[in-house]
Short mmCIF file of all heavy atoms in Angstrom, two decimals:
data_model
loop_
_atom_site.label_atom_id
_atom_site.label_comp_id
_atom_site.label_asym_id
_atom_site.label_seq_id
_atom_site.Cartn_x
_atom_site.Cartn_y
_atom_site.Cartn_z
N ILE A 188 -1.12 -26.60 12.69
CA ILE A 188 -0.16 -25.51 12.66
C ILE A 188 1.06 -25.88 13.49
O ILE A 188 0.86 -26.37 14.59
CB ILE A 188 -0.78 -24.12 13.07
CG1 ILE A 188 -2.00 -23.84 12.24
CG2 ILE A 188 0.22 -23.09 13.01
CD1 ILE A 188 -2.63 -22.58 12.66
N PRO A 189 2.28 -25.80 12.99
CA PRO A 189 3.43 -26.14 13.76
C PRO A 189 3.55 -25.28 14.97
O PRO A 189 3.12 -24.17 15.10
CB PRO A 189 4.61 -25.83 12.81
CG PRO A 189 4.10 -25.03 11.73
CD PRO A 189 2.58 -25.30 11.62
N LYS A 190 4.14 -25.91 16.08
CA LYS A 190 4.25 -25.19 17.35
C LYS A 190 4.98 -23.84 17.25
O LYS A 190 4.52 -22.89 17.88
CB LYS A 190 5.07 -26.11 18.33
CG LYS A 190 4.30 -27.36 18.70
CD LYS A 190 5.09 -28.17 19.68
CE LYS A 190 4.35 -29.45 20.05
NZ LYS A 190 5.20 -30.31 21.04
N GLY A 191 5.99 -23.78 16.42
CA GLY A 191 6.70 -22.51 16.28
C GLY A 191 5.78 -21.41 15.72
O GLY A 191 5.86 -20.24 16.10
N THR A 192 4.87 -21.80 14.76
CA THR A 192 3.98 -20.88 14.20
C THR A 192 2.99 -20.36 15.23
O THR A 192 2.65 -19.21 15.33
CB THR A 192 3.24 -21.48 12.99
OG1 THR A 192 4.21 -21.92 12.09
CG2 THR A 192 2.28 -20.42 12.41
N ILE A 193 2.45 -21.26 16.02
CA ILE A 193 1.49 -20.95 17.08
C ILE A 193 2.06 -19.89 18.03
O ILE A 193 1.40 -18.93 18.41
CB ILE A 193 1.08 -22.21 17.85
CG1 ILE A 193 0.26 -23.14 16.94
CG2 ILE A 193 0.17 -21.77 19.03
CD1 ILE A 193 -0.07 -24.45 17.60
N VAL A 194 3.34 -20.10 18.39
CA VAL A 194 3.95 -19.08 19.33
C VAL A 194 4.05 -17.74 18.69
O VAL A 194 3.82 -16.79 19.35
CB VAL A 194 5.41 -19.66 19.70
CG1 VAL A 194 6.13 -18.53 20.51
CG2 VAL A 194 5.28 -20.90 20.56
N VAL A 195 4.47 -17.73 17.43
CA VAL A 195 4.63 -16.49 16.69
C VAL A 195 3.29 -15.75 16.62
O VAL A 195 3.21 -14.55 16.72
CB VAL A 195 5.24 -16.70 15.28
CG1 VAL A 195 5.21 -15.42 14.47
CG2 VAL A 195 6.61 -17.24 15.44
N LEU A 196 2.23 -16.45 16.31
CA LEU A 196 0.91 -15.88 16.06
C LEU A 196 0.14 -15.54 17.40
O LEU A 196 -0.76 -14.73 17.29
CB LEU A 196 0.06 -16.80 15.25
CG LEU A 196 0.64 -17.24 13.87
CD1 LEU A 196 -0.41 -18.12 13.15
CD2 LEU A 196 0.92 -16.03 13.04
N ALA A 197 0.48 -16.09 18.48
CA ALA A 197 -0.22 -15.94 19.67
C ALA A 197 -0.29 -14.55 20.07
O ALA A 197 0.68 -13.79 20.18
CB ALA A 197 0.44 -16.77 20.84
N GLY A 198 -1.56 -14.03 20.39
CA GLY A 198 -1.74 -12.72 20.94
C GLY A 198 -1.89 -11.54 20.03
O GLY A 198 -2.29 -10.48 20.40
N ILE A 199 -1.55 -11.75 18.66
CA ILE A 199 -1.60 -10.62 17.79
C ILE A 199 -1.94 -11.09 16.39
O ILE A 199 -1.26 -11.99 15.82
CB ILE A 199 -0.31 -9.75 17.78
CG1 ILE A 199 -0.48 -8.61 16.81
CG2 ILE A 199 0.85 -10.62 17.43
CD1 ILE A 199 0.64 -7.60 16.97
N GLY A 200 -2.96 -10.52 15.81
CA GLY A 200 -3.25 -10.76 14.37
C GLY A 200 -3.63 -12.20 14.02
O GLY A 200 -3.58 -12.61 12.87
N VAL A 201 -4.07 -12.99 14.97
CA VAL A 201 -4.36 -14.41 14.66
C VAL A 201 -5.52 -14.49 13.70
O VAL A 201 -5.45 -15.27 12.75
CB VAL A 201 -4.76 -15.09 16.01
CG1 VAL A 201 -5.21 -16.55 15.68
CG2 VAL A 201 -3.58 -15.13 16.97
N LEU A 202 -6.54 -13.63 13.83
CA LEU A 202 -7.64 -13.72 12.90
C LEU A 202 -7.31 -13.39 11.56
O LEU A 202 -7.80 -13.92 10.58
CB LEU A 202 -8.75 -12.78 13.43
CG LEU A 202 -9.46 -13.23 14.74
CD1 LEU A 202 -10.55 -12.16 15.18
CD2 LEU A 202 -10.10 -14.61 14.66
N VAL A 203 -6.33 -12.46 11.43
CA VAL A 203 -5.88 -12.05 10.08
C VAL A 203 -5.23 -13.24 9.36
O VAL A 203 -5.54 -13.54 8.19
CB VAL A 203 -4.90 -10.87 10.11
CG1 VAL A 203 -4.33 -10.62 8.71
CG2 VAL A 203 -5.50 -9.65 10.66
N VAL A 204 -4.36 -13.96 10.10
CA VAL A 204 -3.68 -15.06 9.47
C VAL A 204 -4.64 -16.17 9.17
O VAL A 204 -4.56 -16.80 8.12
CB VAL A 204 -2.57 -15.59 10.44
CG1 VAL A 204 -1.95 -16.87 9.88
CG2 VAL A 204 -1.48 -14.49 10.59
N ILE A 205 -5.58 -16.48 10.15
CA ILE A 205 -6.52 -17.53 9.87
C ILE A 205 -7.35 -17.17 8.70
O ILE A 205 -7.68 -18.04 7.86
CB ILE A 205 -7.44 -17.67 11.12
CG1 ILE A 205 -6.59 -18.28 12.31
CG2 ILE A 205 -8.63 -18.59 10.86
CD1 ILE A 205 -7.38 -18.37 13.62
N GLY A 206 -7.76 -15.90 8.52
CA GLY A 206 -8.52 -15.51 7.38
C GLY A 206 -7.78 -15.74 6.08
O GLY A 206 -8.34 -16.22 5.08
N VAL A 207 -6.46 -15.40 6.07
CA VAL A 207 -5.64 -15.61 4.87
C VAL A 207 -5.57 -17.13 4.57
O VAL A 207 -5.67 -17.58 3.40
CB VAL A 207 -4.28 -14.99 5.02
CG1 VAL A 207 -3.43 -15.36 3.84
CG2 VAL A 207 -4.34 -13.51 5.16
N PHE A 208 -5.39 -17.96 5.61
CA PHE A 208 -5.30 -19.40 5.43
C PHE A 208 -6.60 -19.92 4.83
O PHE A 208 -6.59 -20.78 3.95
CB PHE A 208 -4.96 -20.09 6.72
CG PHE A 208 -3.52 -20.04 7.10
CD1 PHE A 208 -3.13 -20.02 8.43
CD2 PHE A 208 -2.54 -20.09 6.13
CE1 PHE A 208 -1.82 -20.00 8.74
CE2 PHE A 208 -1.18 -20.05 6.44
CZ PHE A 208 -0.81 -20.06 7.80
N ILE A 209 -7.72 -19.45 5.38
CA ILE A 209 -9.02 -19.88 4.85
C ILE A 209 -9.24 -19.49 3.37
O ILE A 209 -9.62 -20.33 2.56
CB ILE A 209 -10.21 -19.36 5.71
CG1 ILE A 209 -10.15 -19.94 7.14
CG2 ILE A 209 -11.56 -19.57 5.05
CD1 ILE A 209 -11.18 -19.31 8.12
#
Side-chain angles (χ1 to χ4, degrees):
I188 301 178
K190 293 181 180 178
T192 302
I193 294 175
V194 172
V195 173
L196 301 183
I199 181 170
V201 176
L202 293 179
V203 174
V204 174
I205 291 175
V207 174
F208 279 148
I209 292 173

